[in-house]
């Protein structure tokens, strides 16, 4: 019996020795961290981090002991397929063999994704890289500051598609270098055609498919916008000022038709017809029910409606609130309060919303938990887009202007939020520890 035990123990010891030798042999080589930001090289004698820092090491079973000034810094390691997993406390790092690393383009996409997502505050669905010599690419894109790059250097134009279908795609210029460790380091910036297109879509409601820019000197450009129906719209662009329509009857009318549809809804604004009279443009905005609204546009005062009756104000007010919140509302009643129109709505989910409306300047919800909850819910939904469904917003009033509450998502996630009513507007944000949130 003793002989069997000694024999079994001997076999087990040999297995451990073989396992240790196997791990010691397998861990040697050149590795790149899965996010492509770090390198690791393990030789017979040294561990080399990022091709710079050399350390002695020892292996004891599944522990990599890295010696730093005579003191061992221990990493637990294991292999999952070809991947080396190093664990030190809560830090877990995954490394893949250098000879199995994908193409430069694959690494660039991995490196770009978190940076671009942070910049745009949106999750990315895909990144498509187009490789081209800078001398060729610079002829068809516009950057606010032209970099000093040799014409024969390879660079990239990347198209970014977001998970949220309501977020327009973006195009970015990418230049790639390497650090001392040989790790790829992309630098990037959005091209002006892309930022202009996204502004036209998000800010002006113009369904821009393509934007072509022609410099007119300084920071100013003439832009030709091709819309989703194939028509073109000429506009003037100054990155320091914004987008302005070209000063002719057709351009002004088309520009403000899109602008008013963005504000009040595409279904409500049927047609805009403005003509130059002196220094201003005057004409008619036709609504979906054929109501005609007398309208004036001037550079100094912008666009303005005149001679509105209460029914037309109700239509425009409802369109404004629906369009901003992205929700269909049922009109219930209205009354005039000073120079504002107080309108009571109900959503298809039977939520109540009371809004104070000035059809030119904007609107805000009534300062009550019910109206603010409804308005906040749909404003949050519009921000997060189609990737996460907002279930409900529950608010408790803590002062005249401040509310605290929670937003529940269909995913099961719950966020604590702060909502503030300024008297002529409202805002929301995620609660922090500094808010001393009342449970």
């Amino acid at each position: 019996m003793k002989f069997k035990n000694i024999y079994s123990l001997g076999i087990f010891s040999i297995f451990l020795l073989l396992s240790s030798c196997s791990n010691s042999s397998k861990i040697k080589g050149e590795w790149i961290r899965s996010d492509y930001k770090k390198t690791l090289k393990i030789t017979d004698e040294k561990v080399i981090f990022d091709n710079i820092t050399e350390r002695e090491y020892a292996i004891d079973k599944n522990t990599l002991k890295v010696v730093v000034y005579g003191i061992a810094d221990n990493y637990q390691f294991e292999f999952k397929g070809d991947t080396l997993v190093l664990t030190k406390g809560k830090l877990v790092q995954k490394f893949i063999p250098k000879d199995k690393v994908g193409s430069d383009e694959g690494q660039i996409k991995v490196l770009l994704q978190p940076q671009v997502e942070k910049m745009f505050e949106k999750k990315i669905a895909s990144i498509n890289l187009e490789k081209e010599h800078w001398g060729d690419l610079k002829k068809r894109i516009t950057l606010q500051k032209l970099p000093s790059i040799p014409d024969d250097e390879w660079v990239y134009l990347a198209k970014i598609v977001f998970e949220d279908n309501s977020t327009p795609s973006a195009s970015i210029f990418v230049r790639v270098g390497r650090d001392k460790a040989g790790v790829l380091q992309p630098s990037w910036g959005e091209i002006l055609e892309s930022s202009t297109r996204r502004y036209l879509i998000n800010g002006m409601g113009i369904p821009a498919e393509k934007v072509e820019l022609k410099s007119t000197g300084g920071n100013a450009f003439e832009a030709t916008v091709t819309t989703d129906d194939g028509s073109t719209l000429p506009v003037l662009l100054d990155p320091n000022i914004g987008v302005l329509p070209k000063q002719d009857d057709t351009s002004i009318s088309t520009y403000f038709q899109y602008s008013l549809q963005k504000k009040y809804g595409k279904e409500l604004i049927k047609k805009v017809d403005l003509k130059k009279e002196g220094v201003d443009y005057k004409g008619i905005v036709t609504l979906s029910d054929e109501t005609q609204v007398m309208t004036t546009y001037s550079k100094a005062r912008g666009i303005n409606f005149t001679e509105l009756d209460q029914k037309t104000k109700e239509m425009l007010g409802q369109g404004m609130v629906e369009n901003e919140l992205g929700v269909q509302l049922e009109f219930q009643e209205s009354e005039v309060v000073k120079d504002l129109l107080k309108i009571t709505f109900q959503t298809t989910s039977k939520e109540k919303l009371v809004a104070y409306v000035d059809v030119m300047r904007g609107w805000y919800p009534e300062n009550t938990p019910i109206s603010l909850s409804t308005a906040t819910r749909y404003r949050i939904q519009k921000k997060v887009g189609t990737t996460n469904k907002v279930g409900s917003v529950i608010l408790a009033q803590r002062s005249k202007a401040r509310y605290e509450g929670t937003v529940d998502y269909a995913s099961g996630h719950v966020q604590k939020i702060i909502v503030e009513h300024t008297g002529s507007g409202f805002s929301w944000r995620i609660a922090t520890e500094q808010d001393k949130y009342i449970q």
Side-chain angles (χ1 to χ4, degrees), residues 223-376:
T224 301
V225 181
T226 304
T227 61
D228 58 1
D229 61 2
S231 59
T232 58
L233 172 65
V235 296
L236 305 174
L237 169 67
D238 185 329
N240 298 321
I241 300 173
V243 176
L244 296 171
K246 213 167 183 181
Q247 302 298 298
D248 62 76
D249 292 354
T250 301
S251 296
I252 289 283
S253 297
T254 304
Y255 179 87
F256 281 108
Q257 181 165 319
Y258 284 126
S259 177
L260 295 176
Q261 286 176 341
K262 169 69 176 176
K263 186 172 184 177
Y264 301 104
K266 190 173 182 179
E267 297 77 14
L268 182 58
I269 305 298
K270 184 178 179 180
K271 185 180 179 182
V272 176
D273 185 15
L274 298 174
K275 298 188 183 301
K276 191 172 181 62
E277 292 187 14
V279 295
D280 296 336
Y281 288 82
K282 295 183 179 181
I284 294 171
V285 173
T286 304
L287 305 185
S288 57
D289 67 348
E290 302 301 330
T291 297
Q292 294 188 333
V293 180
M294 300 303 295
T295 307
T296 300
Y297 164 69
S298 70
K299 285 185 178 181
R301 298 183 300 275
I303 199 159
N304 190 48
F305 298 142
T306 57
E307 302 176 11
L308 293 178
D309 58 30
Q310 184 159 325
K311 181 183 176 183
T312 305
K313 288 182 179 179
E314 290 169 354
M315 292 173 62
L316 292 168
Q318 181 169 345
M320 185 191 299
V321 178
E322 286 183 335
N323 226 43
E324 182 180 327
L325 298 182
V327 61
Q328 188 174 351
L329 299 171
E330 177 187 315
F331 174 86
Q332 292 192 317
E333 62 181 6
S334 73
E335 63 175 301
V336 177
V337 178
K338 296 181 179 179
D339 60 342
L340 299 176
L341 193 61
K342 179 182 177 182
I343 309 177
T344 301
F345 300 108
Q346 184 173 271
T347 71
T348 54
S349 303
K350 305 302 181 184
E351 300 156 302
K352 184 180 179 181
L353 171 61
V354 178
Y356 289 85
V357 177
D358 181 303
V359 297
M360 297 309 304
R361 291 181 297 172
W363 71 279
Y364 58 88
E366 186 178 41
N367 190 1
T368 62
I370 292 176
S371 287
L372 267 178
S373 294
T374 302
T376 303

Side-chain angles (χ1 to χ4, degrees), residues 55-60 63-76 88:
R55 297 282 186 255
E56 295 180 348
Y57 77 96
I59 291 178
D60 181 12
T63 302
L64 173 65
K65 298 184 176 182
V66 180
V67 181
V68 182
Y69 303 115
I71 301 174
D73 207 2
N74 294 336
Y75 294 83
Q76 302 302 311
K88 181 184 176 184

Side-chain angles (χ1 to χ4, degrees), residues 26 31 79-84 95-97 100:
K26 192 174 181 180
W31 305 85
F79 293 96
K80 293 184 178 180
D82 291 327
T83 302
L84 167 65
F95 291 84
I96 53 181
K100 293 192 176 181

